[in-house]
Amino acid sequence: MRRRRFLGVSAAGAATAAITPALTSCGGGGGGSGTTLTVVAADYGDSAANGSQEYWDKLARAFEAEHEDIEVDVKVYSWTEVDRKVADMVRRGEAPDLAQIGAYADFAAAGKLYRADQLLSISTQAGFIESIAEAGKVGRVQYGLPFVASARLLFYNKTLFEQAGITAAPTDWDELKDAAEKLKTAGVKIPYGLPLGPEEAPAETMLWMLSGGGGYTDTNGTYTLDSPENVKTFEWLRDELVGEHLTGPGTPGRTNRQQLFDAFARGEVGMLNGHPTLMKQAEKGGVKYGTAPLPGIHGKARSTMGIADWMMAFKQNGRQEEIGRFLDFVYAKENVLEFAVRYDLLPVTAAASDAMRESRDHKRLWQFLDELRHAEFLPYSKTSWATVSKGLKEKIGAVVAEGGDPASVLGELQRAGDEAEVAGR
């Protein structure tokens, strides 16, 4: 997710109260001479002022105040280095007790992680939103514990729509193309933003596959990258959007998501797919925007894409009981909600999600919450996904260029995924 993908507002009210009373200096610890849990976590802040270390320090001190036999030592790293830091620690035989990072499948496949049911109370494990918890399973066993999530919606610039004579957000591909044409005629620099550059290629690709009735995998988890639906989707993008010069002056395969978010906040983009962080960025830029479900080939897309980041517990140090006690605390409703609100993310538990919906302070996130419950997630559980993701970042942008061959490129990615699946067994 730099969240790298989401980044957002500060928390307030009751959500903060769960942590604040036990706040001590960051250097001090509430524990005695018992166990010290080591935690490595990702930084969701975009500056020193709103970095995640402060959240984790407060949380650790609050936990230690209730568990005098356990200390918690949390180290927070940027998203550019945290996954590598954890991988290096594991290779050196110095795995942390807990890691909150972007992927868990490789560690689970190597037998290095505790199962969720070995750690969590029944109520905590049952409290995850079902669609997100499913994405944390390898072979129907949950190893990845969702930490935060996000969903995608169509964002559109209300002012540009009004100037172009567009009265409503598009609900299908035909309406989307029609709106893009009107925006272009009205002089909008980027009628539709299509980021297929390395930063966002796997996510934007999945959004379009879903809107075309396809996806990365079938219900059995088998890759379907070169399905007829996916090929048709990218032929349409190539011919009807990019080929008609409705995606702006840049080349989609070289355009990253943040470039388009920045352009949207400057009022230069008519429409694009976005996540909650874009709301804050657009507001800072003074852009009046709206959000809508993703347009599909024949009406609203059957689902949107969900993004999740993961918590995982390593078996190396044998601290199963202590880890479980800490995780039950981490996933308390107030703590989950506090982190989500702080960074404009979506809670991963039903209780925190319900609390967010009950507060009108969070009304602008309600539509994202609705979409998240039925979202489809990237194939996090597949160790082969790293290979496929890399291939997508390198090649998918070319299929929408003039002369691009979606069937050939998607077929090549399909073969690479199948081969990686076999090699990982």
Side-chain angles (χ1 to χ4, degrees):
M1 262 154 229
R2 188 160 104 203
R3 255 98 164 130
R4 90 200 177 213
R5 306 218 226 284
F6 311 141
L7 318 179
V9 299
S10 60
T16 308
I19 296 177
T20 302
L23 177 63
T24 67
S25 65
C26 293
S33 57
T35 300
T36 297
L37 292 178
T38 56
V39 183
V40 173
D43 193 353
Y44 289 76
D46 56 3
S47 68
N50 72 343
S52 300
Q53 187 72 56
E54 179 187 11
Y55 170 85
W56 283 107
D57 287 338
K58 289 180 181 179
L59 188 73
R61 301 299 84 81
F63 175 79
E64 291 169 353
E66 297 180 11
H67 303 81
E68 295 184 356
D69 58 331
I70 305 175
E71 294 186 11
V72 181
D73 178 21
V74 185
K75 289 183 172 58
V76 174
Y77 298 97
S78 73
W79 275 104
T80 60
E81 60 179 342
V82 67
D83 289 327
R84 176 177 52 80
K85 286 276 189 184
V86 172
D88 288 346
M89 293 172 72
V90 173
R91 277 194 293 268
R92 295 196 305 266
E94 301 170 357
D97 295 303
L98 287 160
Q100 187 272 298
I101 52 177
Y104 66 87
D106 285 347
F107 298 126
K112 296 182 180 298
L113 302 181
Y114 286 114
R115 304 189 310 267
D117 64 338
Q118 293 176 308
L119 301 166
L120 304 177
S121 66
I122 294 174
S123 60
T124 297
Q125 187 173 5
F128 291 123
I129 294 171
E130 185 176 358
S131 63
I132 312 177
E134 283 295 318
K137 294 181 178 180
V138 175
R140 300 184 180 181
V141 177
Q142 186 176 2
Y143 293 94
L145 312 179
F147 183 69
V148 285
S150 184
R152 302 296 175 94
L153 293 172
L154 180 75
F155 279 69
Y156 59 96
N157 184 312
K158 289 184 174 181
T159 302
L160 297 181
F161 265 46
E162 183 178 349
Q163 292 172 357
I166 306 168
T167 58
T171 60
D172 61 27
W173 288 1
D174 288 340
E175 291 181 3
L176 186 146
K177 181 182 178 183
D178 181 64
E181 289 174 336
K182 290 178 179 177
L183 289 163
K184 180 183 177 182
T185 300
V188 175
K189 184 177 180 181
I190 305 173
Y192 183 87
L194 184 64
L196 291 176
E199 180 186 12
E200 190 74 348
E204 188 73 12
T205 296
M206 183 173 179
L207 286 167
W208 277 99
M209 286 179 171
L210 292 173
S211 73
Y216 282 133
T217 62
D218 61 19
T219 55
N220 295 319
T222 302
Y223 282 122
T224 56
L225 289 132
D226 61 351
S227 69
E229 293 84 359
N230 291 341
V231 171
K232 182 178 180 179
T233 292
F234 279 91
E235 289 176 343
W236 188 89
L237 278 173
R238 179 195 62 195
D239 299 337
E240 304 299 328
L241 280 191
V242 181
E244 295 295 325
H245 307 290
L246 299 175
T247 56
T251 302
R254 297 178 181 175
T255 302
N256 284 324
R257 186 266 310 158
Q258 192 58 54
Q259 292 173 262
L260 289 176
F261 274 25
D262 293 344
F264 188 85
R266 294 193 300 267
E268 299 172 357
V269 180
M271 303 173 283
L272 79 171
N273 294 325
H275 49 64
T277 297
L278 183 55
M279 296 188 296
K280 183 180 180 183
Q281 190 172 352
E283 289 160 3
K284 282 185 176 180
V287 172
K288 292 174 60 179
Y289 66 90
T291 58
L294 301 181
I297 187 171
H298 299 302
K300 175 187 172 182
R302 61 184 172 85
S303 63
T304 188
M305 180 191 68
I307 293 286
D309 290 329
W310 303 94
M311 180 76 77
M312 60 214 70
F314 289 89
K315 296 190 292 186
Q316 179 179 313
N317 301 317
R319 299 182 180 128
Q320 177 181 345
E321 180 182 354
E322 293 88 347
I323 292 171
R325 289 161 69 186
F326 181 60
L327 286 174
D328 281 337
F329 187 82
V330 167
Y331 286 107
K333 178 181 70 175
E334 295 83 1
N335 296 335
V336 172
L337 184 62
E338 196 274 347
F339 194 89
V341 170
R342 177 186 288 254
Y343 295 111
D344 261 351
L345 298 170
L346 303 181
V348 296
T349 67
S353 180
D354 290 344
M356 181 175 279
R357 177 167 289 285
E358 290 168 2
S359 171
R360 295 193 66 83
D361 291 341
H362 311 311
K363 184 178 180 180
R364 65 181 189 167
L365 289 169
W366 290 354
Q367 191 173 14
F368 290 94
L369 290 174
D370 291 340
E371 294 295 320
L372 182 65
R373 289 188 178 273
H374 306 288
E376 295 189 28
F377 289 80
L378 294 169
Y380 296 110
S381 64
K382 300 172 80 65
T383 57
S384 58
W385 172 240
T387 298
V388 174
S389 179
K390 181 175 182 292
L392 286 162
K393 292 176 181 180
E394 295 172 348
K395 299 175 181 178
I396 198 64
V399 307
V400 298
E402 184 178 358
D405 187 347
S408 176
V409 173
L410 290 171
E412 182 181 348
L413 292 169
Q414 175 76 35
R415 290 188 293 274
D418 290 342
E419 290 171 2
E421 280 283 279
V422 172
R425 289 173 185 166

